Amino acid sequence: MEIILRVCPSVRGEELNTLFAGAWPDHRHIDWQPILNHVIVYVCAYESTRLVGFAKVVGDGGVHGFLLDPTVAPDKQKQGIGRQLVAKCSDEARSRGIEWLHVDFEPHLKAFYESCGLKHTEAGLLNLNTKPALL
């Protein structure tokens, strides 16, 4: 079946939680509405009426956007849907004034993001749920 991308559609939290639970084993159900209210753009991929993919861009209020949560249903992975989601998010973010799109990823995803046109950069990360050794 054909995959249709929709920009900022009305999507139910139940649909998103089902998608994320299938793709991310540690996913805990969350209330998506507050999250979706604070993004620059989000894109959903549908096969007929079934949600099979999702990605979003959040911003800093300026020219920087951050690509988050590119997710594709396990039975639809390796079919180019993830790249389509990233491309559509990139185009939509650009049209909304974003000049720099950032993404953090684990090493095993490097080839995927490079295939989407993103270049590797160094970045820092601090887990705010753990106490730092020294301040």
Side-chain angles (χ1 to χ4, degrees):
M1 290 193 92
E2 182 181 13
I3 301 298
I4 303 294
L5 299 181
R6 294 192 179 121
V7 177
C8 299
S10 176
V11 60
R12 295 184 343 266
E14 179 183 322
E15 292 175 286
L16 287 164
N17 280 314
T18 298
L19 173 67
F20 274 71
W24 303 103
D26 294 331
H27 174 72
R28 288 177 280 159
H29 282 37
I30 60 173
D31 180 2
W32 282 92
Q33 201 54 56
I35 295 167
L36 297 180
N37 288 341
H38 288 93
V39 301
I40 293 171
V41 65
Y42 64 93
V43 177
C44 294
Y46 291 92
E47 182 181 58
S48 185
T49 60
R50 178 183 168 219
L51 180 67
V52 297
F54 174 84
K56 69 179 183 251
V57 177
V58 299
D60 69 345
V63 297
H64 294 268
F66 301 86
L67 178 67
L68 298 172
D69 299 331
T71 300
V72 175
D75 65 313
K76 295 297 172 186
Q77 292 177 1
K78 309 284 187 207
Q79 297 178 31
I81 298 168
R83 282 189 299 279
Q84 290 177 45
L85 287 165
V86 172
K88 189 66 169 173
C89 278
S90 300
D91 290 344
E92 293 292 328
R94 181 182 305 105
S95 75
R96 290 162 169 78
I98 297 300
E99 296 177 22
W100 295 97
L101 188 62
H102 304 260
V103 66
D104 291 327
F105 54 84
E106 295 178 3
H108 71 278
L109 294 172
K110 183 179 179 188
F112 167 74
Y113 284 107
E114 286 179 344
S115 76
C116 294
L118 288 124
K119 302 207 180 335
H120 177 77
T121 63
E122 295 295 323
L125 180 66
L126 175 62
N127 183 336
L128 299 178
N129 289 323
T130 61
K131 185 176 180 180
L134 295 173
L135 283 180

